[in-house]
Amino acid sequence: MAAAAGLRLRGPLVLRCGPWRSFTSRTDGEARVSRVLREKFPRASAIRVVDISGGCGAMYEVHIESEEFREKRPVQQHQMVNQALSEEIKSMHGLRIFTSTPKP
């Protein structure tokens, strides 16, 4: 497509929001989103938040395992997460949500 427009690309295109970070460290945004989710889902047995935008806070992936999701369809579970993060979502570009219930 770029060639059709008369443009030449030299090498791969790499987009970064800021300095590269190690996935063993937590960003402030990950900590903030985790805190909000822990407050909104006190019965959660597991919560994991990962900034998948390279550390700039534009996009997150959240995994939540909670008893509160039992008897709810996946769309209802995701609506619960969206509601819990309604303020945080305003400054995000995207959010991937994975929900589950604890195994008996």
Side-chain angles (χ1 to χ4, degrees), residues 21-37 47-57 59-62 85 92:
R21 71 178 184 94
S22 164
F23 283 104
T24 58
S25 64
R26 256 179 117 169
T27 66
D28 291 340
E30 289 169 338
R32 183 180 62 254
V33 171
S34 290
R35 186 181 66 247
V36 170
L37 291 173
I47 293 178
R48 184 169 64 107
V49 176
V50 180
D51 182 339
I52 56 174
S53 63
C56 70
M59 188 162 182
Y60 291 92
E61 183 174 288
V62 299
L85 295 175
M92 291 181 195

PDB file of all heavy atoms in Angstrom, residues 21-37 47-57 59-62 85 92:
ATOM      1  N   ARG A  21      10.547  -1.197  28.746  1.00  0.00           N
ATOM      2  CA  ARG A  21      10.553  -1.608  30.136  1.00  0.00           C
ATOM      3  C   ARG A  21      10.577  -3.111  30.247  1.00  0.00           C
ATOM      4  O   ARG A  21      10.146  -3.818  29.354  1.00  0.00           O
ATOM      5  CB  ARG A  21       9.340  -1.054  30.872  1.00  0.00           C
ATOM      6  CG  ARG A  21       8.040  -1.718  30.476  1.00  0.00           C
ATOM      7  CD  ARG A  21       6.884  -1.158  31.281  1.00  0.00           C
ATOM      8  NE  ARG A  21       5.668  -1.850  30.964  1.00  0.00           N
ATOM      9  CZ  ARG A  21       5.204  -2.903  31.652  1.00  0.00           C
ATOM     10  NH1 ARG A  21       5.853  -3.349  32.679  1.00  0.00           N
ATOM     11  NH2 ARG A  21       4.088  -3.491  31.294  1.00  0.00           N
ATOM     12  N   SER A  22      11.026  -3.573  31.339  1.00  0.00           N
ATOM     13  CA  SER A  22      11.026  -4.998  31.644  1.00  0.00           C
ATOM     14  C   SER A  22       9.637  -5.380  32.133  1.00  0.00           C
ATOM     15  O   SER A  22       8.983  -4.620  32.842  1.00  0.00           O
ATOM     16  CB  SER A  22      12.052  -5.271  32.748  1.00  0.00           C
ATOM     17  OG  SER A  22      11.819  -6.532  33.321  1.00  0.00           O
ATOM     18  N   PHE A  23       9.173  -6.567  31.764  1.00  0.00           N
ATOM     19  CA  PHE A  23       7.851  -7.003  32.207  1.00  0.00           C
ATOM     20  C   PHE A  23       7.856  -7.473  33.655  1.00  0.00           C
ATOM     21  O   PHE A  23       6.833  -7.838  34.186  1.00  0.00           O
ATOM     22  CB  PHE A  23       7.304  -8.090  31.283  1.00  0.00           C
ATOM     23  CG  PHE A  23       6.791  -7.516  29.997  1.00  0.00           C
ATOM     24  CD1 PHE A  23       7.512  -7.638  28.830  1.00  0.00           C
ATOM     25  CD2 PHE A  23       5.587  -6.834  29.967  1.00  0.00           C
ATOM     26  CE1 PHE A  23       7.036  -7.098  27.654  1.00  0.00           C
ATOM     27  CE2 PHE A  23       5.107  -6.291  28.784  1.00  0.00           C
ATOM     28  CZ  PHE A  23       5.841  -6.423  27.634  1.00  0.00           C
ATOM     29  N   THR A  24       9.001  -7.466  34.302  1.00  0.00           N
ATOM     30  CA  THR A  24       9.034  -7.833  35.715  1.00  0.00           C
ATOM     31  C   THR A  24       8.709  -6.644  36.605  1.00  0.00           C
ATOM     32  O   THR A  24       8.401  -6.815  37.766  1.00  0.00           O
ATOM     33  CB  THR A  24      10.412  -8.400  36.110  1.00  0.00           C
ATOM     34  OG1 THR A  24      11.412  -7.411  35.824  1.00  0.00           O
ATOM     35  CG2 THR A  24      10.708  -9.678  35.340  1.00  0.00           C
ATOM     36  N   SER A  25       8.774  -5.442  36.046  1.00  0.00           N
ATOM     37  CA  SER A  25       8.429  -4.250  36.827  1.00  0.00           C
ATOM     38  C   SER A  25       6.999  -3.855  36.508  1.00  0.00           C
ATOM     39  O   SER A  25       6.475  -4.143  35.446  1.00  0.00           O
ATOM     40  CB  SER A  25       9.381  -3.101  36.493  1.00  0.00           C
ATOM     41  OG  SER A  25       9.234  -2.727  35.142  1.00  0.00           O
ATOM     42  N   ARG A  26       6.359  -3.163  37.446  1.00  0.00           N
ATOM     43  CA  ARG A  26       4.984  -2.706  37.271  1.00  0.00           C
ATOM     44  C   ARG A  26       4.950  -1.230  37.000  1.00  0.00           C
ATOM     45  O   ARG A  26       5.643  -0.454  37.644  1.00  0.00           O
ATOM     46  CB  ARG A  26       4.203  -2.978  38.560  1.00  0.00           C
ATOM     47  CG  ARG A  26       3.293  -4.152  38.456  1.00  0.00           C
ATOM     48  CD  ARG A  26       2.602  -4.336  39.747  1.00  0.00           C
ATOM     49  NE  ARG A  26       1.186  -4.139  39.512  1.00  0.00           N
ATOM     50  CZ  ARG A  26       0.266  -4.432  40.389  1.00  0.00           C
ATOM     51  NH1 ARG A  26       0.591  -4.893  41.565  1.00  0.00           N
ATOM     52  NH2 ARG A  26      -0.986  -4.265  40.121  1.00  0.00           N
ATOM     53  N   THR A  27       4.117  -0.821  36.065  1.00  0.00           N
ATOM     54  CA  THR A  27       3.964   0.607  35.806  1.00  0.00           C
ATOM     55  C   THR A  27       2.974   1.182  36.813  1.00  0.00           C
ATOM     56  O   THR A  27       2.200   0.451  37.441  1.00  0.00           O
ATOM     57  CB  THR A  27       3.446   0.869  34.378  1.00  0.00           C
ATOM     58  OG1 THR A  27       2.114   0.362  34.266  1.00  0.00           O
ATOM     59  CG2 THR A  27       4.339   0.247  33.327  1.00  0.00           C
ATOM     60  N   ASP A  28       2.969   2.499  36.940  1.00  0.00           N
ATOM     61  CA  ASP A  28       2.000   3.163  37.818  1.00  0.00           C
ATOM     62  C   ASP A  28       0.572   2.872  37.359  1.00  0.00           C
ATOM     63  O   ASP A  28      -0.321   2.685  38.175  1.00  0.00           O
ATOM     64  CB  ASP A  28       2.235   4.676  37.843  1.00  0.00           C
ATOM     65  CG  ASP A  28       3.525   5.055  38.553  1.00  0.00           C
ATOM     66  OD1 ASP A  28       4.044   4.241  39.341  1.00  0.00           O
ATOM     67  OD2 ASP A  28       4.009   6.185  38.309  1.00  0.00           O
ATOM     68  N   GLY A  29       0.377   2.852  36.045  1.00  0.00           N
ATOM     69  CA  GLY A  29      -0.952   2.572  35.507  1.00  0.00           C
ATOM     70  C   GLY A  29      -1.430   1.168  35.855  1.00  0.00           C
ATOM     71  O   GLY A  29      -2.593   0.971  36.211  1.00  0.00           O
ATOM     72  N   GLU A  30      -0.549   0.181  35.748  1.00  0.00           N
ATOM     73  CA  GLU A  30      -0.908  -1.190  36.123  1.00  0.00           C
ATOM     74  C   GLU A  30      -1.304  -1.262  37.591  1.00  0.00           C
ATOM     75  O   GLU A  30      -2.294  -1.901  37.944  1.00  0.00           O
ATOM     76  CB  GLU A  30       0.257  -2.141  35.850  1.00  0.00           C
ATOM     77  CG  GLU A  30       0.517  -2.394  34.390  1.00  0.00           C
ATOM     78  CD  GLU A  30       1.828  -3.114  34.144  1.00  0.00           C
ATOM     79  OE1 GLU A  30       2.735  -3.064  34.995  1.00  0.00           O
ATOM     80  OE2 GLU A  30       1.955  -3.731  33.075  1.00  0.00           O
ATOM     81  N   ALA A  31      -0.536  -0.581  38.433  1.00  0.00           N
ATOM     82  CA  ALA A  31      -0.829  -0.579  39.871  1.00  0.00           C
ATOM     83  C   ALA A  31      -2.172   0.101  40.146  1.00  0.00           C
ATOM     84  O   ALA A  31      -2.968  -0.389  40.954  1.00  0.00           O
ATOM     85  CB  ALA A  31       0.289   0.120  40.639  1.00  0.00           C
ATOM     86  N   ARG A  32      -2.449   1.207  39.452  1.00  0.00           N
ATOM     87  CA  ARG A  32      -3.703   1.940  39.644  1.00  0.00           C
ATOM     88  C   ARG A  32      -4.901   1.091  39.203  1.00  0.00           C
ATOM     89  O   ARG A  32      -5.885   0.969  39.936  1.00  0.00           O
ATOM     90  CB  ARG A  32      -3.668   3.259  38.869  1.00  0.00           C
ATOM     91  CG  ARG A  32      -4.899   4.125  39.072  1.00  0.00           C
ATOM     92  CD  ARG A  32      -4.844   5.436  38.291  1.00  0.00           C
ATOM     93  NE  ARG A  32      -4.785   5.216  36.856  1.00  0.00           N
ATOM     94  CZ  ARG A  32      -3.696   5.371  36.086  1.00  0.00           C
ATOM     95  NH1 ARG A  32      -2.567   5.772  36.625  1.00  0.00           N
ATOM     96  NH2 ARG A  32      -3.746   5.126  34.791  1.00  0.00           N
ATOM     97  N   VAL A  33      -4.819   0.480  38.027  1.00  0.00           N
ATOM     98  CA  VAL A  33      -5.924  -0.341  37.522  1.00  0.00           C
ATOM     99  C   VAL A  33      -6.122  -1.554  38.433  1.00  0.00           C
ATOM    100  O   VAL A  33      -7.256  -1.911  38.771  1.00  0.00           O
ATOM    101  CB  VAL A  33      -5.666  -0.761  36.056  1.00  0.00           C
ATOM    102  CG1 VAL A  33      -6.686  -1.791  35.590  1.00  0.00           C
ATOM    103  CG2 VAL A  33      -5.679   0.462  35.140  1.00  0.00           C
ATOM    104  N   SER A  34      -5.035  -2.172  38.882  1.00  0.00           N
ATOM    105  CA  SER A  34      -5.139  -3.308  39.808  1.00  0.00           C
ATOM    106  C   SER A  34      -5.830  -2.912  41.099  1.00  0.00           C
ATOM    107  O   SER A  34      -6.682  -3.641  41.609  1.00  0.00           O
ATOM    108  CB  SER A  34      -3.747  -3.865  40.140  1.00  0.00           C
ATOM    109  OG  SER A  34      -3.190  -4.494  39.035  1.00  0.00           O
ATOM    110  N   ARG A  35      -5.468  -1.748  41.640  1.00  0.00           N
ATOM    111  CA  ARG A  35      -6.067  -1.267  42.888  1.00  0.00           C
ATOM    112  C   ARG A  35      -7.575  -1.065  42.727  1.00  0.00           C
ATOM    113  O   ARG A  35      -8.366  -1.498  43.576  1.00  0.00           O
ATOM    114  CB  ARG A  35      -5.392   0.027  43.342  1.00  0.00           C
ATOM    115  CG  ARG A  35      -5.870   0.518  44.709  1.00  0.00           C
ATOM    116  CD  ARG A  35      -5.209   1.816  45.132  1.00  0.00           C
ATOM    117  NE  ARG A  35      -5.610   2.899  44.238  1.00  0.00           N
ATOM    118  CZ  ARG A  35      -4.795   3.534  43.389  1.00  0.00           C
ATOM    119  NH1 ARG A  35      -3.527   3.209  43.319  1.00  0.00           N
ATOM    120  NH2 ARG A  35      -5.246   4.498  42.610  1.00  0.00           N
ATOM    121  N   VAL A  36      -7.972  -0.439  41.639  1.00  0.00           N
ATOM    122  CA  VAL A  36      -9.400  -0.205  41.390  1.00  0.00           C
ATOM    123  C   VAL A  36     -10.132  -1.539  41.275  1.00  0.00           C
ATOM    124  O   VAL A  36     -11.204  -1.724  41.857  1.00  0.00           O
ATOM    125  CB  VAL A  36      -9.607   0.654  40.122  1.00  0.00           C
ATOM    126  CG1 VAL A  36     -11.065   0.690  39.723  1.00  0.00           C
ATOM    127  CG2 VAL A  36      -9.074   2.062  40.340  1.00  0.00           C
ATOM    128  N   LEU A  37      -9.566  -2.486  40.543  1.00  0.00           N
ATOM    129  CA  LEU A  37     -10.219  -3.788  40.376  1.00  0.00           C
ATOM    130  C   LEU A  37     -10.319  -4.541  41.701  1.00  0.00           C
ATOM    131  O   LEU A  37     -11.331  -5.188  41.971  1.00  0.00           O
ATOM    132  CB  LEU A  37      -9.486  -4.622  39.328  1.00  0.00           C
ATOM    133  CG  LEU A  37      -9.606  -4.117  37.890  1.00  0.00           C
ATOM    134  CD1 LEU A  37      -8.695  -4.919  36.966  1.00  0.00           C
ATOM    135  CD2 LEU A  37     -11.049  -4.157  37.418  1.00  0.00           C
ATOM    136  N   ILE A  47      -6.198 -11.357  40.130  1.00  0.00           N
ATOM    137  CA  ILE A  47      -6.293 -10.184  39.259  1.00  0.00           C
ATOM    138  C   ILE A  47      -4.909  -9.946  38.683  1.00  0.00           C
ATOM    139  O   ILE A  47      -3.925  -9.866  39.426  1.00  0.00           O
ATOM    140  CB  ILE A  47      -6.775  -8.924  40.009  1.00  0.00           C
ATOM    141  CG1 ILE A  47      -8.223  -9.100  40.464  1.00  0.00           C
ATOM    142  CG2 ILE A  47      -6.625  -7.680  39.136  1.00  0.00           C
ATOM    143  CD1 ILE A  47      -8.772  -7.934  41.265  1.00  0.00           C
ATOM    144  N   ARG A  48      -4.847  -9.846  37.366  1.00  0.00           N
ATOM    145  CA  ARG A  48      -3.572  -9.547  36.707  1.00  0.00           C
ATOM    146  C   ARG A  48      -3.819  -8.441  35.693  1.00  0.00           C
ATOM    147  O   ARG A  48      -4.754  -8.520  34.891  1.00  0.00           O
ATOM    148  CB  ARG A  48      -3.015 -10.783  36.010  1.00  0.00           C
ATOM    149  CG  ARG A  48      -1.654 -10.561  35.398  1.00  0.00           C
ATOM    150  CD  ARG A  48      -1.018 -11.855  34.955  1.00  0.00           C
ATOM    151  NE  ARG A  48      -1.767 -12.497  33.904  1.00  0.00           N
ATOM    152  CZ  ARG A  48      -1.384 -12.561  32.624  1.00  0.00           C
ATOM    153  NH1 ARG A  48      -0.229 -12.040  32.264  1.00  0.00           N
ATOM    154  NH2 ARG A  48      -2.128 -13.168  31.730  1.00  0.00           N
ATOM    155  N   VAL A  49      -2.997  -7.409  35.745  1.00  0.00           N
ATOM    156  CA  VAL A  49      -3.110  -6.267  34.827  1.00  0.00           C
ATOM    157  C   VAL A  49      -1.764  -6.089  34.141  1.00  0.00           C
ATOM    158  O   VAL A  49      -0.732  -6.042  34.802  1.00  0.00           O
ATOM    159  CB  VAL A  49      -3.488  -4.971  35.583  1.00  0.00           C
ATOM    160  CG1 VAL A  49      -3.515  -3.780  34.639  1.00  0.00           C
ATOM    161  CG2 VAL A  49      -4.819  -5.129  36.293  1.00  0.00           C
ATOM    162  N   VAL A  50      -1.788  -6.002  32.811  1.00  0.00           N
ATOM    163  CA  VAL A  50      -0.562  -5.815  32.037  1.00  0.00           C
ATOM    164  C   VAL A  50      -0.754  -4.654  31.078  1.00  0.00           C
ATOM    165  O   VAL A  50      -1.737  -4.612  30.331  1.00  0.00           O
ATOM    166  CB  VAL A  50      -0.206  -7.091  31.230  1.00  0.00           C
ATOM    167  CG1 VAL A  50       1.070  -6.891  30.432  1.00  0.00           C
ATOM    168  CG2 VAL A  50      -0.084  -8.291  32.142  1.00  0.00           C
ATOM    169  N   ASP A  51       0.172  -3.706  31.114  1.00  0.00           N
ATOM    170  CA  ASP A  51       0.186  -2.601  30.157  1.00  0.00           C
ATOM    171  C   ASP A  51       0.780  -3.169  28.868  1.00  0.00           C
ATOM    172  O   ASP A  51       1.971  -3.460  28.807  1.00  0.00           O
ATOM    173  CB  ASP A  51       1.034  -1.457  30.704  1.00  0.00           C
ATOM    174  CG  ASP A  51       1.062  -0.249  29.783  1.00  0.00           C
ATOM    175  OD1 ASP A  51       0.772  -0.402  28.577  1.00  0.00           O
ATOM    176  OD2 ASP A  51       1.396   0.843  30.258  1.00  0.00           O
ATOM    177  N   ILE A  52      -0.043  -3.356  27.846  1.00  0.00           N
ATOM    178  CA  ILE A  52       0.430  -3.952  26.598  1.00  0.00           C
ATOM    179  C   ILE A  52       0.772  -2.890  25.556  1.00  0.00           C
ATOM    180  O   ILE A  52       0.948  -3.204  24.380  1.00  0.00           O
ATOM    181  CB  ILE A  52      -0.590  -4.974  26.045  1.00  0.00           C
ATOM    182  CG1 ILE A  52      -1.964  -4.366  25.850  1.00  0.00           C
ATOM    183  CG2 ILE A  52      -0.658  -6.198  26.946  1.00  0.00           C
ATOM    184  CD1 ILE A  52      -2.969  -5.285  25.187  1.00  0.00           C
ATOM    185  N   SER A  53       0.907  -1.653  26.006  1.00  0.00           N
ATOM    186  CA  SER A  53       1.270  -0.565  25.093  1.00  0.00           C
ATOM    187  C   SER A  53       2.743  -0.198  25.227  1.00  0.00           C
ATOM    188  O   SER A  53       3.158   0.834  24.726  1.00  0.00           O
ATOM    189  CB  SER A  53       0.395   0.662  25.366  1.00  0.00           C
ATOM    190  OG  SER A  53       0.610   1.143  26.667  1.00  0.00           O
ATOM    191  N   GLY A  54       3.514  -1.013  25.921  1.00  0.00           N
ATOM    192  CA  GLY A  54       4.930  -0.708  26.080  1.00  0.00           C
ATOM    193  C   GLY A  54       5.232   0.165  27.277  1.00  0.00           C
ATOM    194  O   GLY A  54       6.346   0.632  27.444  1.00  0.00           O
ATOM    195  N   GLY A  55       4.249   0.408  28.117  1.00  0.00           N
ATOM    196  CA  GLY A  55       4.490   1.168  29.334  1.00  0.00           C
ATOM    197  C   GLY A  55       3.887   2.558  29.364  1.00  0.00           C
ATOM    198  O   GLY A  55       3.972   3.248  30.374  1.00  0.00           O
ATOM    199  N   CYS A  56       3.248   2.993  28.277  1.00  0.00           N
ATOM    200  CA  CYS A  56       2.711   4.359  28.275  1.00  0.00           C
ATOM    201  C   CYS A  56       1.276   4.447  28.788  1.00  0.00           C
ATOM    202  O   CYS A  56       0.743   5.536  28.946  1.00  0.00           O
ATOM    203  CB  CYS A  56       2.814   4.982  26.886  1.00  0.00           C
ATOM    204  SG  CYS A  56       1.708   4.274  25.672  1.00  0.00           S
ATOM    205  N   GLY A  57       0.628   3.305  29.045  1.00  0.00           N
ATOM    206  CA  GLY A  57      -0.706   3.328  29.624  1.00  0.00           C
ATOM    207  C   GLY A  57      -1.840   3.492  28.631  1.00  0.00           C
ATOM    208  O   GLY A  57      -2.962   3.780  29.018  1.00  0.00           O
ATOM    209  N   MET A  59      -2.960   1.045  26.530  1.00  0.00           N
ATOM    210  CA  MET A  59      -3.755  -0.172  26.369  1.00  0.00           C
ATOM    211  C   MET A  59      -3.373  -1.181  27.439  1.00  0.00           C
ATOM    212  O   MET A  59      -2.198  -1.402  27.714  1.00  0.00           O
ATOM    213  CB  MET A  59      -3.546  -0.770  24.986  1.00  0.00           C
ATOM    214  CG  MET A  59      -4.474  -1.907  24.683  1.00  0.00           C
ATOM    215  SD  MET A  59      -4.528  -2.190  22.909  1.00  0.00           S
ATOM    216  CE  MET A  59      -5.713  -3.510  22.863  1.00  0.00           C
ATOM    217  N   TYR A  60      -4.401  -1.787  28.031  1.00  0.00           N
ATOM    218  CA  TYR A  60      -4.182  -2.764  29.099  1.00  0.00           C
ATOM    219  C   TYR A  60      -4.881  -4.073  28.780  1.00  0.00           C
ATOM    220  O   TYR A  60      -5.871  -4.108  28.047  1.00  0.00           O
ATOM    221  CB  TYR A  60      -4.738  -2.238  30.427  1.00  0.00           C
ATOM    222  CG  TYR A  60      -3.961  -1.083  30.985  1.00  0.00           C
ATOM    223  CD1 TYR A  60      -4.314   0.225  30.682  1.00  0.00           C
ATOM    224  CD2 TYR A  60      -2.866  -1.293  31.806  1.00  0.00           C
ATOM    225  CE1 TYR A  60      -3.596   1.295  31.184  1.00  0.00           C
ATOM    226  CE2 TYR A  60      -2.142  -0.233  32.316  1.00  0.00           C
ATOM    227  CZ  TYR A  60      -2.510   1.053  31.998  1.00  0.00           C
ATOM    228  OH  TYR A  60      -1.794   2.101  32.489  1.00  0.00           O
ATOM    229  N   GLU A  61      -4.351  -5.120  29.379  1.00  0.00           N
ATOM    230  CA  GLU A  61      -4.993  -6.427  29.353  1.00  0.00           C
ATOM    231  C   GLU A  61      -5.243  -6.798  30.809  1.00  0.00           C
ATOM    232  O   GLU A  61      -4.327  -6.728  31.625  1.00  0.00           O
ATOM    233  CB  GLU A  61      -4.059  -7.435  28.689  1.00  0.00           C
ATOM    234  CG  GLU A  61      -4.638  -8.811  28.550  1.00  0.00           C
ATOM    235  CD  GLU A  61      -3.725  -9.728  27.754  1.00  0.00           C
ATOM    236  OE1 GLU A  61      -3.622  -9.529  26.516  1.00  0.00           O
ATOM    237  OE2 GLU A  61      -3.115 -10.609  28.367  1.00  0.00           O
ATOM    238  N   VAL A  62      -6.490  -7.148  31.134  1.00  0.00           N
ATOM    239  CA  VAL A  62      -6.826  -7.519  32.505  1.00  0.00           C
ATOM    240  C   VAL A  62      -7.389  -8.938  32.540  1.00  0.00           C
ATOM    241  O   VAL A  62      -8.164  -9.325  31.664  1.00  0.00           O
ATOM    242  CB  VAL A  62      -7.817  -6.529  33.176  1.00  0.00           C
ATOM    243  CG1 VAL A  62      -7.226  -5.135  33.250  1.00  0.00           C
ATOM    244  CG2 VAL A  62      -9.143  -6.495  32.473  1.00  0.00           C
ATOM    245  N   LEU A  85     -14.053   0.151  35.807  1.00  0.00           N
ATOM    246  CA  LEU A  85     -12.934   0.965  35.301  1.00  0.00           C
ATOM    247  C   LEU A  85     -13.412   2.174  34.483  1.00  0.00           C
ATOM    248  O   LEU A  85     -12.654   2.720  33.693  1.00  0.00           O
ATOM    249  CB  LEU A  85     -12.022   0.091  34.432  1.00  0.00           C
ATOM    250  CG  LEU A  85     -11.288  -1.040  35.148  1.00  0.00           C
ATOM    251  CD1 LEU A  85     -10.533  -1.896  34.141  1.00  0.00           C
ATOM    252  CD2 LEU A  85     -10.341  -0.487  36.208  1.00  0.00           C
ATOM    253  N   MET A  92      -7.681   5.614  28.235  1.00  0.00           N
ATOM    254  CA  MET A  92      -7.091   4.452  27.554  1.00  0.00           C
ATOM    255  C   MET A  92      -7.451   4.458  26.076  1.00  0.00           C
ATOM    256  O   MET A  92      -8.488   4.967  25.670  1.00  0.00           O
ATOM    257  CB  MET A  92      -7.627   3.149  28.158  1.00  0.00           C
ATOM    258  CG  MET A  92      -7.169   2.849  29.541  1.00  0.00           C
ATOM    259  SD  MET A  92      -7.887   1.253  30.048  1.00  0.00           S
ATOM    260  CE  MET A  92      -7.598   1.322  31.801  1.00  0.00           C
TER     261      MET A  92
END
